[in-house]
Amino acid sequence: ERFLLNPLPSGGEMAPSPYDYVWIIPFDYITSTKSSSTKELISNRQDTFTLSSSDGFIKANVKQNGFYRVNYDLQNWQAIINHLKQSPDSNVLSPVDRAGVIDDAFALSSAGLINITVALDMSLYLRNERDYVPWSASITWLYILSDRLSLTEIYGEYQRYVSYLLNDTITRYHFDMTDLSHLETFLQTEVLQAGWRFGNEDIGNTASSMFRNWMTNADQPIPPNLRVVVYPAAIACGGEEEWEFLWQRYLNTSDPYEKILCLFGLSHSNEPWILSRYTYIYLCT
C-alpha cells in the first residue's frame, strides 16, 4: 500500500500508474528472540510468510535500510512497547531500530492508520533512552505534535508530558557536561533546545547567565554546540541590552553559520518593539 502522510480526501484518486503502486521490496526483519535478520522478497500485495509463536515480537525493516513504513497489529506494537520500557538499550533493537519504530509509530498515527496512543505510549520509554538517534527522531515528532496542539485546551498537559520525558536526560546532559562523544554532544544540544521550548525555566536561566557572562568577558564565549540553545533563550529572557549585543555580534562576525545563529536568536525577543526594529533593520540592510 502506498503510504501518504496526508491521506487523500474521501473519494479522491491517485494519479494512474503503470505499476499500480506496487513495489518489489527486499523485506527483512528480526524478532525478540532472533537478532540476526531474516530476508524475504515481497513482490505483490498478497505475499505472506509465517512466524513461530515463540518468536515474540517482530521488528521489520532492520536498521531502516528500506524506504518504506511498517505497520503491525496492535499486539505486536504492544510487545515492542513493553520491550522498550523494560530494556531500551538491549541488543535486540539497535538505536537505529528504536528510532525506526518511533518514527513509524508517529508517522502512521499522523496519517490516521493507528491510534496516537500507540506512539505516545511508546514515547514513555524515552525517559531511559541514552542514544542520540532515537531521541532525534522522537523530538522531531514531539515538535510536530506541539504545533498541532498549541492552540488547544490540552496543550498545557502535553507540554508537561514532554517535559516529564526530557527531564532525566536534561539532567544527565546539562550545560556543564563536557568531554562528551560526538553523538552525545548532538544529544545534549537536542534535549536542551527541546527542554527550553517546552518550558524548562532552569535552561532559560542558565542560558541567560552564560550569555551575560559572555557579554562582560569576551574570553568566555558560548560553546559552539550550545549557541543554538543559549542565543534564543537569552534573548527571550533578556531585553534591549542582550539584543543589541547579539546584533553587533551578527554585524561583526564573518562566519556564515554564526550569522544564521545570531539571526535565529535575535528573532526570539518577547518585546514587540524590538521585533519591529529587527524587521525594519533586516529589511533595510
Side-chain angles (χ1 to χ4, degrees):
E1 178 182 348
R2 186 185 185 191
F3 174 77
L4 296 174
L5 189 59
N6 298 306
L8 292 172
S10 178
E13 294 183 0
M14 290 187 289
S17 165
Y19 307 104
D20 195 27
Y21 293 102
V22 175
W23 292 265
I24 298 175
I25 297 175
F27 184 80
D28 59 349
Y29 64 91
I30 56 176
T31 71
S32 56
T33 59
K34 184 182 177 184
S35 58
S36 60
S37 64
T38 301
K39 302 184 188 319
E40 305 277 352
L41 194 65
I42 298 178
S43 58
N44 63 68
R45 291 188 173 97
Q46 286 76 41
D47 278 350
T48 62
F49 54 92
T50 303
L51 293 173
S52 167
S53 59
S54 62
D55 285 330
F57 69 76
I58 177 177
K59 194 286 171 182
N61 196 8
V62 180
K63 296 187 177 180
Q64 305 306 108
N65 287 323
F67 191 65
Y68 55 88
R69 296 283 182 194
V70 182
N71 197 356
Y72 308 96
D73 60 29
L74 188 56
Q75 182 179 358
N76 197 79
W77 277 119
Q78 195 58 57
I80 293 174
I81 292 169
N82 292 339
H83 172 79
L84 290 173
K85 289 179 179 179
Q86 293 165 9
S87 50
D89 57 352
S90 73
N91 293 326
V92 177
L93 295 179
S94 69
V96 175
D97 284 319
R98 298 199 296 273
V101 292
I102 290 170
D103 193 50
D104 280 346
F106 275 103
L108 291 165
S109 67
S110 182
L113 297 175
I114 63 174
N115 198 300
I116 186 61
T117 56
V118 173
L120 291 176
D121 190 18
M122 183 181 295
S123 70
L124 281 168
Y125 104 91
L126 289 169
R127 285 177 55 81
N128 298 314
E129 178 59 76
R130 295 293 178 262
D131 278 281
Y132 166 69
V133 178
W135 264 116
S136 181
S138 302
I139 287 173
T140 297
W141 281 106
L142 292 173
Y143 283 158
I144 291 172
L145 272 184
S146 175
D147 292 340
R148 292 176 179 175
L149 297 175
S150 60
L151 298 179
T152 69
E153 69 279 4
I154 64 170
Y155 184 68
E157 290 293 329
Y158 176 74
Q159 195 173 34
R160 285 187 285 274
Y161 173 72
V162 177
S163 295
Y164 169 75
L165 299 181
L166 288 164
N167 282 341
D168 287 351
T169 309
I170 288 172
T171 300
R172 186 182 181 93
Y173 294 103
H174 211 260
F175 288 98
D176 55 357
M177 291 298 297
T178 56
D179 298 324
L180 300 174
S181 70
H182 189 62
L183 288 180
E184 285 177 327
T185 300
F186 282 159
L187 177 57
Q188 180 188 46
T189 303
E190 285 261 18
V191 297
L192 289 176
Q193 192 173 19
W196 177 69
R197 174 166 173 173
F198 286 105
N200 188 308
E201 294 183 358
D202 181 55
I203 293 175
N205 293 335
T206 304
S208 295
S209 177
M210 292 173 67
F211 194 87
R212 294 290 300 182
N213 188 50
W214 178 39
M215 290 173 64
T216 57
N217 188 350
D219 294 332
Q220 296 186 7
I222 310 299
N225 70 298
L226 296 178
R227 292 175 188 176
V228 70
V229 183
V230 172
Y231 287 4
I235 295 300
C237 297
E240 182 180 10
E241 186 179 1
E242 288 82 1
W243 195 92
E244 186 61 36
F245 179 85
L246 193 59
W247 174 249
Q248 291 302 317
R249 171 73 174 176
Y250 166 77
L251 294 177
N252 295 326
T253 186
S254 59
D255 183 344
Y257 183 64
E258 179 69 6
K259 283 185 176 292
I260 292 173
L261 291 178
C262 289
L263 290 175
F264 178 65
L266 290 166
S267 69
H268 282 77
S269 175
N270 287 317
E271 296 289 344
W273 70 270
I274 291 180
L275 290 176
S276 295
R277 177 189 173 197
Y278 171 52
T279 304
Y280 176 78
I281 294 175
Y282 184 73
L283 290 175
C284 294
T285 55

PDB file of all heavy atoms in Angstrom, residues 237-260:
ATOM      1  N   CYS A 237      14.702  35.814  27.335  1.00  0.00           N
ATOM      2  CA  CYS A 237      14.664  36.162  28.761  1.00  0.00           C
ATOM      3  C   CYS A 237      15.227  37.550  29.038  1.00  0.00           C
ATOM      4  O   CYS A 237      15.040  38.089  30.134  1.00  0.00           O
ATOM      5  CB  CYS A 237      15.455  35.134  29.573  1.00  0.00           C
ATOM      6  SG  CYS A 237      14.798  33.456  29.514  1.00  0.00           S
ATOM      7  N   GLY A 238      15.952  38.126  28.081  1.00  0.00           N
ATOM      8  CA  GLY A 238      16.612  39.407  28.289  1.00  0.00           C
ATOM      9  C   GLY A 238      15.831  40.578  27.711  1.00  0.00           C
ATOM     10  O   GLY A 238      14.628  40.496  27.457  1.00  0.00           O
ATOM     11  N   GLY A 239      16.566  41.667  27.489  1.00  0.00           N
ATOM     12  CA  GLY A 239      15.935  42.885  26.976  1.00  0.00           C
ATOM     13  C   GLY A 239      16.763  43.514  25.871  1.00  0.00           C
ATOM     14  O   GLY A 239      17.469  42.810  25.126  1.00  0.00           O
ATOM     15  N   GLU A 240      16.721  44.831  25.797  1.00  0.00           N
ATOM     16  CA  GLU A 240      17.386  45.541  24.708  1.00  0.00           C
ATOM     17  C   GLU A 240      18.895  45.357  24.733  1.00  0.00           C
ATOM     18  O   GLU A 240      19.524  45.223  23.685  1.00  0.00           O
ATOM     19  CB  GLU A 240      17.058  47.035  24.783  1.00  0.00           C
ATOM     20  CG  GLU A 240      17.661  47.853  23.656  1.00  0.00           C
ATOM     21  CD  GLU A 240      17.320  49.328  23.750  1.00  0.00           C
ATOM     22  OE1 GLU A 240      16.778  49.748  24.795  1.00  0.00           O
ATOM     23  OE2 GLU A 240      17.606  50.057  22.781  1.00  0.00           O
ATOM     24  N   GLU A 241      19.498  45.325  25.928  1.00  0.00           N
ATOM     25  CA  GLU A 241      20.951  45.208  26.026  1.00  0.00           C
ATOM     26  C   GLU A 241      21.447  43.906  25.416  1.00  0.00           C
ATOM     27  O   GLU A 241      22.426  43.893  24.649  1.00  0.00           O
ATOM     28  CB  GLU A 241      21.382  45.309  27.490  1.00  0.00           C
ATOM     29  CG  GLU A 241      22.883  45.350  27.680  1.00  0.00           C
ATOM     30  CD  GLU A 241      23.293  45.481  29.139  1.00  0.00           C
ATOM     31  OE1 GLU A 241      22.389  45.518  30.003  1.00  0.00           O
ATOM     32  OE2 GLU A 241      24.505  45.525  29.407  1.00  0.00           O
ATOM     33  N   GLU A 242      20.797  42.796  25.755  1.00  0.00           N
ATOM     34  CA  GLU A 242      21.190  41.499  25.196  1.00  0.00           C
ATOM     35  C   GLU A 242      20.972  41.461  23.684  1.00  0.00           C
ATOM     36  O   GLU A 242      21.800  40.936  22.937  1.00  0.00           O
ATOM     37  CB  GLU A 242      20.401  40.369  25.858  1.00  0.00           C
ATOM     38  CG  GLU A 242      20.792  40.065  27.288  1.00  0.00           C
ATOM     39  CD  GLU A 242      20.139  41.005  28.297  1.00  0.00           C
ATOM     40  OE1 GLU A 242      19.359  41.881  27.862  1.00  0.00           O
ATOM     41  OE2 GLU A 242      20.390  40.850  29.499  1.00  0.00           O
ATOM     42  N   TRP A 243      19.845  42.027  23.266  1.00  0.00           N
ATOM     43  CA  TRP A 243      19.528  42.019  21.837  1.00  0.00           C
ATOM     44  C   TRP A 243      20.565  42.813  21.061  1.00  0.00           C
ATOM     45  O   TRP A 243      21.049  42.367  20.023  1.00  0.00           O
ATOM     46  CB  TRP A 243      18.139  42.601  21.601  1.00  0.00           C
ATOM     47  CG  TRP A 243      17.595  42.312  20.238  1.00  0.00           C
ATOM     48  CD1 TRP A 243      16.817  41.271  19.863  1.00  0.00           C
ATOM     49  CD2 TRP A 243      17.820  43.097  19.046  1.00  0.00           C
ATOM     50  NE1 TRP A 243      16.532  41.337  18.518  1.00  0.00           N
ATOM     51  CE2 TRP A 243      17.133  42.445  17.988  1.00  0.00           C
ATOM     52  CE3 TRP A 243      18.522  44.258  18.778  1.00  0.00           C
ATOM     53  CZ2 TRP A 243      17.139  42.933  16.697  1.00  0.00           C
ATOM     54  CZ3 TRP A 243      18.551  44.746  17.471  1.00  0.00           C
ATOM     55  CH2 TRP A 243      17.849  44.081  16.436  1.00  0.00           C
ATOM     56  N   GLU A 244      20.948  43.990  21.557  1.00  0.00           N
ATOM     57  CA  GLU A 244      21.921  44.835  20.866  1.00  0.00           C
ATOM     58  C   GLU A 244      23.292  44.173  20.812  1.00  0.00           C
ATOM     59  O   GLU A 244      24.004  44.269  19.808  1.00  0.00           O
ATOM     60  CB  GLU A 244      22.026  46.191  21.571  1.00  0.00           C
ATOM     61  CG  GLU A 244      22.904  47.210  20.861  1.00  0.00           C
ATOM     62  CD  GLU A 244      22.416  47.563  19.470  1.00  0.00           C
ATOM     63  OE1 GLU A 244      21.184  47.625  19.265  1.00  0.00           O
ATOM     64  OE2 GLU A 244      23.274  47.758  18.580  1.00  0.00           O
ATOM     65  N   PHE A 245      23.646  43.475  21.889  1.00  0.00           N
ATOM     66  CA  PHE A 245      24.930  42.778  21.912  1.00  0.00           C
ATOM     67  C   PHE A 245      24.982  41.704  20.818  1.00  0.00           C
ATOM     68  O   PHE A 245      25.984  41.599  20.092  1.00  0.00           O
ATOM     69  CB  PHE A 245      25.143  42.133  23.288  1.00  0.00           C
ATOM     70  CG  PHE A 245      26.420  41.357  23.416  1.00  0.00           C
ATOM     71  CD1 PHE A 245      27.607  41.996  23.751  1.00  0.00           C
ATOM     72  CD2 PHE A 245      26.448  39.980  23.183  1.00  0.00           C
ATOM     73  CE1 PHE A 245      28.797  41.275  23.860  1.00  0.00           C
ATOM     74  CE2 PHE A 245      27.629  39.263  23.289  1.00  0.00           C
ATOM     75  CZ  PHE A 245      28.813  39.910  23.625  1.00  0.00           C
ATOM     76  N   LEU A 246      23.921  40.928  20.692  1.00  0.00           N
ATOM     77  CA  LEU A 246      23.903  39.873  19.683  1.00  0.00           C
ATOM     78  C   LEU A 246      23.806  40.455  18.280  1.00  0.00           C
ATOM     79  O   LEU A 246      24.355  39.889  17.330  1.00  0.00           O
ATOM     80  CB  LEU A 246      22.739  38.906  19.940  1.00  0.00           C
ATOM     81  CG  LEU A 246      22.787  37.587  19.149  1.00  0.00           C
ATOM     82  CD1 LEU A 246      24.078  36.814  19.452  1.00  0.00           C
ATOM     83  CD2 LEU A 246      21.574  36.717  19.455  1.00  0.00           C
ATOM     84  N   TRP A 247      23.134  41.575  18.125  1.00  0.00           N
ATOM     85  CA  TRP A 247      23.064  42.238  16.826  1.00  0.00           C
ATOM     86  C   TRP A 247      24.448  42.673  16.369  1.00  0.00           C
ATOM     87  O   TRP A 247      24.829  42.501  15.211  1.00  0.00           O
ATOM     88  CB  TRP A 247      22.120  43.426  16.877  1.00  0.00           C
ATOM     89  CG  TRP A 247      22.092  44.251  15.635  1.00  0.00           C
ATOM     90  CD1 TRP A 247      22.553  45.512  15.476  1.00  0.00           C
ATOM     91  CD2 TRP A 247      21.590  43.861  14.352  1.00  0.00           C
ATOM     92  NE1 TRP A 247      22.377  45.944  14.190  1.00  0.00           N
ATOM     93  CE2 TRP A 247      21.782  44.944  13.473  1.00  0.00           C
ATOM     94  CE3 TRP A 247      20.995  42.701  13.865  1.00  0.00           C
ATOM     95  CZ2 TRP A 247      21.407  44.898  12.142  1.00  0.00           C
ATOM     96  CZ3 TRP A 247      20.614  42.653  12.524  1.00  0.00           C
ATOM     97  CH2 TRP A 247      20.824  43.745  11.681  1.00  0.00           C
ATOM     98  N   GLN A 248      25.225  43.235  17.306  1.00  0.00           N
ATOM     99  CA  GLN A 248      26.590  43.636  16.975  1.00  0.00           C
ATOM    100  C   GLN A 248      27.439  42.423  16.624  1.00  0.00           C
ATOM    101  O   GLN A 248      28.311  42.484  15.761  1.00  0.00           O
ATOM    102  CB  GLN A 248      27.215  44.408  18.137  1.00  0.00           C
ATOM    103  CG  GLN A 248      26.594  45.774  18.373  1.00  0.00           C
ATOM    104  CD  GLN A 248      26.673  46.678  17.139  1.00  0.00           C
ATOM    105  OE1 GLN A 248      27.716  46.735  16.467  1.00  0.00           O
ATOM    106  NE2 GLN A 248      25.572  47.370  16.853  1.00  0.00           N
ATOM    107  N   ARG A 249      27.182  41.325  17.326  1.00  0.00           N
ATOM    108  CA  ARG A 249      27.877  40.073  17.010  1.00  0.00           C
ATOM    109  C   ARG A 249      27.575  39.656  15.572  1.00  0.00           C
ATOM    110  O   ARG A 249      28.459  39.233  14.834  1.00  0.00           O
ATOM    111  CB  ARG A 249      27.444  38.979  17.992  1.00  0.00           C
ATOM    112  CG  ARG A 249      27.911  37.583  17.670  1.00  0.00           C
ATOM    113  CD  ARG A 249      29.380  37.381  17.937  1.00  0.00           C
ATOM    114  NE  ARG A 249      29.775  35.995  17.753  1.00  0.00           N
ATOM    115  CZ  ARG A 249      31.021  35.555  17.854  1.00  0.00           C
ATOM    116  NH1 ARG A 249      31.996  36.397  18.153  1.00  0.00           N
ATOM    117  NH2 ARG A 249      31.289  34.283  17.677  1.00  0.00           N
ATOM    118  N   TYR A 250      26.332  39.786  15.170  1.00  0.00           N
ATOM    119  CA  TYR A 250      25.924  39.444  13.802  1.00  0.00           C
ATOM    120  C   TYR A 250      26.650  40.330  12.791  1.00  0.00           C
ATOM    121  O   TYR A 250      27.135  39.845  11.763  1.00  0.00           O
ATOM    122  CB  TYR A 250      24.414  39.613  13.653  1.00  0.00           C
ATOM    123  CG  TYR A 250      23.946  39.608  12.220  1.00  0.00           C
ATOM    124  CD1 TYR A 250      23.835  38.419  11.507  1.00  0.00           C
ATOM    125  CD2 TYR A 250      23.637  40.800  11.563  1.00  0.00           C
ATOM    126  CE1 TYR A 250      23.420  38.406  10.183  1.00  0.00           C
ATOM    127  CE2 TYR A 250      23.222  40.799  10.236  1.00  0.00           C
ATOM    128  CZ  TYR A 250      23.121  39.603   9.557  1.00  0.00           C
ATOM    129  OH  TYR A 250      22.722  39.600   8.233  1.00  0.00           O
ATOM    130  N   LEU A 251      26.746  41.617  13.079  1.00  0.00           N
ATOM    131  CA  LEU A 251      27.373  42.550  12.146  1.00  0.00           C
ATOM    132  C   LEU A 251      28.872  42.322  12.019  1.00  0.00           C
ATOM    133  O   LEU A 251      29.444  42.518  10.940  1.00  0.00           O
ATOM    134  CB  LEU A 251      27.111  43.991  12.591  1.00  0.00           C
ATOM    135  CG  LEU A 251      25.658  44.472  12.552  1.00  0.00           C
ATOM    136  CD1 LEU A 251      25.552  45.892  13.101  1.00  0.00           C
ATOM    137  CD2 LEU A 251      25.092  44.411  11.131  1.00  0.00           C
ATOM    138  N   ASN A 252      29.511  41.891  13.105  1.00  0.00           N
ATOM    139  CA  ASN A 252      30.971  41.832  13.126  1.00  0.00           C
ATOM    140  C   ASN A 252      31.555  40.474  12.760  1.00  0.00           C
ATOM    141  O   ASN A 252      32.731  40.379  12.417  1.00  0.00           O
ATOM    142  CB  ASN A 252      31.491  42.226  14.520  1.00  0.00           C
ATOM    143  CG  ASN A 252      31.175  43.677  14.847  1.00  0.00           C
ATOM    144  OD1 ASN A 252      31.175  44.531  13.955  1.00  0.00           O
ATOM    145  ND2 ASN A 252      30.906  43.968  16.112  1.00  0.00           N
ATOM    146  N   THR A 253      30.751  39.415  12.835  1.00  0.00           N
ATOM    147  CA  THR A 253      31.298  38.099  12.510  1.00  0.00           C
ATOM    148  C   THR A 253      31.321  37.875  10.997  1.00  0.00           C
ATOM    149  O   THR A 253      30.475  38.381  10.263  1.00  0.00           O
ATOM    150  CB  THR A 253      30.486  36.972  13.187  1.00  0.00           C
ATOM    151  OG1 THR A 253      31.131  35.724  12.946  1.00  0.00           O
ATOM    152  CG2 THR A 253      29.063  36.915  12.635  1.00  0.00           C
ATOM    153  N   SER A 254      32.319  37.126  10.553  1.00  0.00           N
ATOM    154  CA  SER A 254      32.410  36.769   9.132  1.00  0.00           C
ATOM    155  C   SER A 254      32.024  35.315   8.895  1.00  0.00           C
ATOM    156  O   SER A 254      32.041  34.841   7.762  1.00  0.00           O
ATOM    157  CB  SER A 254      33.840  37.005   8.625  1.00  0.00           C
ATOM    158  OG  SER A 254      34.774  36.230   9.367  1.00  0.00           O
ATOM    159  N   ASP A 255      31.643  34.628   9.967  1.00  0.00           N
ATOM    160  CA  ASP A 255      31.264  33.211   9.875  1.00  0.00           C
ATOM    161  C   ASP A 255      29.801  33.111   9.456  1.00  0.00           C
ATOM    162  O   ASP A 255      28.906  33.536  10.187  1.00  0.00           O
ATOM    163  CB  ASP A 255      31.475  32.552  11.238  1.00  0.00           C
ATOM    164  CG  ASP A 255      31.168  31.055  11.220  1.00  0.00           C
ATOM    165  OD1 ASP A 255      30.518  30.584  10.258  1.00  0.00           O
ATOM    166  OD2 ASP A 255      31.558  30.356  12.178  1.00  0.00           O
ATOM    167  N   PRO A 256      29.509  32.546   8.272  1.00  0.00           N
ATOM    168  CA  PRO A 256      28.112  32.477   7.799  1.00  0.00           C
ATOM    169  C   PRO A 256      27.186  31.730   8.752  1.00  0.00           C
ATOM    170  O   PRO A 256      26.050  32.150   8.966  1.00  0.00           O
ATOM    171  CB  PRO A 256      28.226  31.753   6.450  1.00  0.00           C
ATOM    172  CG  PRO A 256      29.634  31.963   6.021  1.00  0.00           C
ATOM    173  CD  PRO A 256      30.443  31.994   7.280  1.00  0.00           C
ATOM    174  N   TYR A 257      27.674  30.621   9.330  1.00  0.00           N
ATOM    175  CA  TYR A 257      26.806  29.862  10.235  1.00  0.00           C
ATOM    176  C   TYR A 257      26.548  30.639  11.513  1.00  0.00           C
ATOM    177  O   TYR A 257      25.443  30.606  12.057  1.00  0.00           O
ATOM    178  CB  TYR A 257      27.425  28.502  10.554  1.00  0.00           C
ATOM    179  CG  TYR A 257      26.532  27.643  11.419  1.00  0.00           C
ATOM    180  CD1 TYR A 257      25.289  27.215  10.949  1.00  0.00           C
ATOM    181  CD2 TYR A 257      26.911  27.268  12.705  1.00  0.00           C
ATOM    182  CE1 TYR A 257      24.452  26.438  11.736  1.00  0.00           C
ATOM    183  CE2 TYR A 257      26.084  26.493  13.500  1.00  0.00           C
ATOM    184  CZ  TYR A 257      24.858  26.078  13.016  1.00  0.00           C
ATOM    185  OH  TYR A 257      24.022  25.309  13.807  1.00  0.00           O
ATOM    186  N   GLU A 258      27.551  31.358  11.993  1.00  0.00           N
ATOM    187  CA  GLU A 258      27.352  32.182  13.190  1.00  0.00           C
ATOM    188  C   GLU A 258      26.326  33.283  12.917  1.00  0.00           C
ATOM    189  O   GLU A 258      25.513  33.625  13.779  1.00  0.00           O
ATOM    190  CB  GLU A 258      28.686  32.792  13.632  1.00  0.00           C
ATOM    191  CG  GLU A 258      28.611  33.690  14.861  1.00  0.00           C
ATOM    192  CD  GLU A 258      28.300  32.943  16.151  1.00  0.00           C
ATOM    193  OE1 GLU A 258      28.248  31.701  16.133  1.00  0.00           O
ATOM    194  OE2 GLU A 258      28.108  33.617  17.184  1.00  0.00           O
ATOM    195  N   LYS A 259      26.341  33.830  11.729  1.00  0.00           N
ATOM    196  CA  LYS A 259      25.339  34.840  11.369  1.00  0.00           C
ATOM    197  C   LYS A 259      23.928  34.245  11.426  1.00  0.00           C
ATOM    198  O   LYS A 259      22.981  34.889  11.898  1.00  0.00           O
ATOM    199  CB  LYS A 259      25.626  35.405   9.968  1.00  0.00           C
ATOM    200  CG  LYS A 259      26.764  36.416   9.923  1.00  0.00           C
ATOM    201  CD  LYS A 259      26.897  37.004   8.533  1.00  0.00           C
ATOM    202  CE  LYS A 259      27.954  38.098   8.478  1.00  0.00           C
ATOM    203  NZ  LYS A 259      27.570  39.317   9.231  1.00  0.00           N
ATOM    204  N   ILE A 260      23.787  33.019  10.925  1.00  0.00           N
ATOM    205  CA  ILE A 260      22.475  32.360  10.962  1.00  0.00           C
ATOM    206  C   ILE A 260      22.020  32.157  12.405  1.00  0.00           C
ATOM    207  O   ILE A 260      20.859  32.419  12.751  1.00  0.00           O
ATOM    208  CB  ILE A 260      22.542  31.002  10.219  1.00  0.00           C
ATOM    209  CG1 ILE A 260      22.737  31.231   8.722  1.00  0.00           C
ATOM    210  CG2 ILE A 260      21.269  30.183  10.472  1.00  0.00           C
ATOM    211  CD1 ILE A 260      22.981  29.956   7.938  1.00  0.00           C
TER     212      ILE A 260
END
